[in-house]
Amino acid sequence: MADIERSWLTNPSRRTALARVAGLMAASPIAASVAQIDPKPLGEHRRALSLAEMQTAFDFEPVFFGNVPVRTYDYTAHGDGSEFTLRRNRQAFDWVNIGPRGPAIPASQVDLSSELLGVKMKFPIIVGPSTGQGALHPDGEIGMFRGATAASNTLMIIASGSTIPVARVAPSAPGGTLWEQFYPIEDLTVTQRAMDNYQNVGLTNIMVTVDQQAAYYERDEMDRHFGGRAVGAVAAIAGAGRGGGAGGGEDGEGAGGGARAGVEAPGSLRYRVSNRRLWYSWQYIDALRKMVKGKMLIKGILDPEDAKLAIDHGADGITVSNHGGRSMDYGPSTLEVLPEIVAAVNGRIPVLFDSGIRRGADIFKALALGANAVQIGRTARWGLAAFGTAGAQRLIEILQQELVQVAAAAGCAKLSDINQTTVKANFV
C-alpha cells in the first residue's frame, strides 16, 4: 500500500466523517427496519425441563405447548364462549379450605385404596375420556392407557373418538382396566352395533355422556371465522360428530377445521348449535340400559334431580361434570354443585367428579365434598403430549403423591377419613 493511501485510511478527518455517517444511519428508521435482530436472543433463552424435572402437573403444560401445533393446544386449553365456566371450575377450588381433622401423620401410613363398581383402585383417580389423543403424541390412546396402567393400575375411560381402534387399545396394557365412553346415537340399531363392538373386545362398562348438549362456541374456533359470520358450520359440526371425551373435552379434534368458506349454515347450525344432541331423553337411556352388559354410568350431571332420575333409569354411577367448561357458558362449577348432588344420591350409587383438577389438593377437596373418585382430562393430556407414555405415567403419579401428602398433613389415614369435616366451603 502506498504511503498516500495509508495516510488516507488513518486520516482523523476520514474517521470523523465515517462516525457522522454511522450516527446518521443509526438514527434512520429505514436502517432500523432492516437491521438484523436475533429472534431468540441468548438472554431470553429458557431450557425446557426434562421428564425427571417435572414437579407438578403445571410443569407439563409448557412442554405440551411447545410440542404440538397451536390448533391442537387451543382445542385442549379453551372452553365455551367467554370461558367463564372454565375459569370458575378452577376458582371454586380456591373457595374450599382444608382443615386437619387431627395431627398430621406420616405419608407412609396413608392408604387411599378403594373399590369402584368391582374395580380395585389404589388411588381414587381415573383418567377420564379425552378424544383425539393421537394428535397429542404418536403413542395416542395406547400410550395413555399404558401410562395409566403403569401408574398403580389407574382406571382409564377411553373416548369414543379414539384415534386408535379400541380393539388395539384394549389389549395394549396387560392387567390394565379400560372402560368405554359413548355419545348417544338416535338410531337404536346403530347404538346396538356400537355396544356390541365395545363389549366384544371386553369393554362392558359404558359411560354415556349427556352434557355438551348445544354449545360449541370455543374461542379459538370462533377466531378462525374471519368476516363476522358463521360459515362452513355444517362441516364443523360434522367434524364434531366424530368426537368422543377432556375433563378437557370429548369432542372431535377436527371440529372447526376444514370449513368451506362461503357456505352458509341453516337453522341452529348457523350459530353452531348442533341438533344432533338436542333429542336426548330418559327413554333412550332406558333402551341403552338394556344393551349394556356391564355397568352403565352417566356423565354430565349438574342437578340433584337429574341425579335421582339417573338412578331411577338404571345408572350404576354418575359423573358430576360440565365437560371441563366446554358445555355451557355461565354454568356452575362442578365443585359447587357436588355436595347437593351427593346428598341427593345418598350413597345409592358412586358419584364421580371431573372438571378443573390440577393438583392433589383439588382431588382431596372433591373427595371431602362427597366424590367417590375423580376423573382427570386436560392434565392427563398435558402429560401425554409432553413426554408420551412416560409423561402420562409421571403426571398421574405426581397427582397420586400430592394427594397422599395432603391427606397425611390433614391427618387422614384412609379414604373414609376424607369427608366434609376436613374442609370448609366458602363458595362465592
Side-chain angles (χ1 to χ4, degrees):
M1 181 182 293
D3 290 342
I4 189 170
E5 292 175 331
R6 185 177 294 107
S7 174
W8 178 80
L9 286 173
T10 58
N11 189 292
S13 61
R14 177 180 177 277
R15 291 198 299 271
T16 301
L18 288 173
R20 289 175 178 173
V21 171
L24 179 65
M25 291 297 294
S28 167
I30 298 176
S33 67
V34 299
Q36 294 293 321
I37 300 174
D38 187 349
K40 291 185 177 180
L42 186 60
E44 298 179 7
H45 176 71
R46 296 292 184 272
R47 180 181 64 83
L49 297 178
S50 67
L51 177 60
E53 295 172 296
M54 298 289 110
Q55 298 297 316
T56 73
F58 293 100
D59 291 337
F60 290 81
E61 188 181 17
V63 183
F64 160 41
F65 178 81
N67 282 355
V68 301
V70 172
R71 177 175 179 272
T72 301
Y73 174 83
D74 283 349
Y75 174 77
T76 295
H78 294 319
D80 180 43
S82 71
E83 300 186 335
F84 172 88
T85 308
L86 177 68
R87 295 189 299 273
R88 194 173 182 89
N89 279 340
R90 287 295 304 140
Q91 291 170 345
F93 287 102
D94 293 336
W95 302 330
V96 178
N97 298 329
I98 297 175
R101 63 181 313 231
I105 60 176
S108 60
Q109 294 181 13
V110 176
D111 179 2
L112 301 179
S113 60
S114 63
E115 186 170 317
L116 176 69
L117 299 176
V119 176
K120 295 185 182 300
M121 303 169 62
K122 186 173 182 180
F123 300 96
I125 301 172
I126 300 167
V127 175
S130 169
T131 200
Q133 294 174 14
L136 305 175
H137 191 277
D139 291 350
E141 286 78 9
I142 287 178
M144 186 75 84
F145 187 31
R146 287 174 174 169
T149 301
S152 299
N153 202 11
T154 296
L155 166 65
M156 174 173 154
I157 304 169
I158 187 170
S160 60
S162 173
T163 53
I164 300 175
V166 68
R168 287 181 53 204
V169 179
S172 65
T177 305
L178 192 66
W179 294 356
E180 175 67 41
Q181 178 271 336
F182 174 73
Y183 275 115
I185 300 173
E186 195 165 10
D187 186 326
L188 290 178
T189 301
V190 178
T191 297
Q192 181 67 69
R193 189 181 307 130
M195 292 300 105
D196 291 343
N197 289 339
Y198 298 142
Q199 294 171 145
N200 287 341
V201 296
L203 276 62
T204 57
N205 290 351
I206 305 295
M207 176 173 283
V208 56
T209 299
V210 298
D211 62 4
Q212 191 70 11
Q213 280 280 328
Y216 209 85
Y217 309 101
E218 296 172 358
R219 182 177 67 194
D220 51 302
E221 304 294 350
M222 287 194 299
D223 288 347
R224 298 190 185 98
H225 289 295
F226 302 118
R229 67 192 184 101
V231 295
V234 174
I237 293 297
R242 294 189 291 272
E250 298 171 4
D251 285 285
E253 175 67 25
R260 293 178 295 140
V263 178
E264 193 73 40
S268 64
L269 293 183
R270 178 183 179 89
Y271 304 98
R272 306 199 68 177
V273 179
S274 170
N275 57 15
R276 65 181 285 269
R277 292 181 182 161
L278 298 179
W279 58 269
Y280 292 0
S281 69
W282 289 111
Q283 289 71 30
Y284 179 86
I285 296 298
D286 291 337
L288 182 64
R289 173 67 275 185
K290 296 174 183 177
M291 301 179 194
V292 176
K293 297 177 181 178
K295 305 298 184 181
M296 183 184 75
L297 299 91
I298 298 179
K299 177 180 180 288
I301 300 296
L302 291 173
D303 183 83
E305 292 305 313
D306 283 340
K308 294 177 183 177
L309 284 169
I311 297 173
D312 292 342
H313 289 273
D316 297 297
I318 60 172
T319 299
V320 178
S321 171
N322 58 26
H323 222 96
R326 301 165 78 90
S327 64
M328 183 179 70
D329 203 13
Y330 294 99
S333 72
T334 49
L335 200 65
E336 290 175 278
V337 300
L338 177 61
E340 55 186 322
I341 292 175
V342 169
V345 169
N346 195 26
R348 288 178 286 174
I349 60 173
V351 176
L352 309 183
F353 171 91
D354 80 11
S355 302
I357 295 289
R358 302 290 185 273
R359 302 179 184 277
D362 301 336
I363 299 172
F364 183 95
K365 293 174 184 181
L367 296 172
L369 292 178
N372 296 94
V374 304
Q375 297 172 198
I376 56 173
R378 283 187 176 90
T379 43
R381 293 173 71 87
W382 293 352
L384 179 69
F387 299 102
T389 299
Q393 176 184 348
R394 176 63 181 147
L395 186 141
I396 296 167
E397 290 174 341
I398 285 174
L399 293 178
Q400 292 169 344
Q401 292 162 6
E402 289 180 346
L403 175 58
V404 168
Q405 292 295 331
V406 176
C412 299
K414 55 186 183 297
L415 194 56
S416 60
D417 292 339
I418 304 175
N419 53 50
Q420 290 195 1
T421 66
T422 61
V423 294
K424 182 178 180 181
N426 303 283
F427 293 122
V428 176

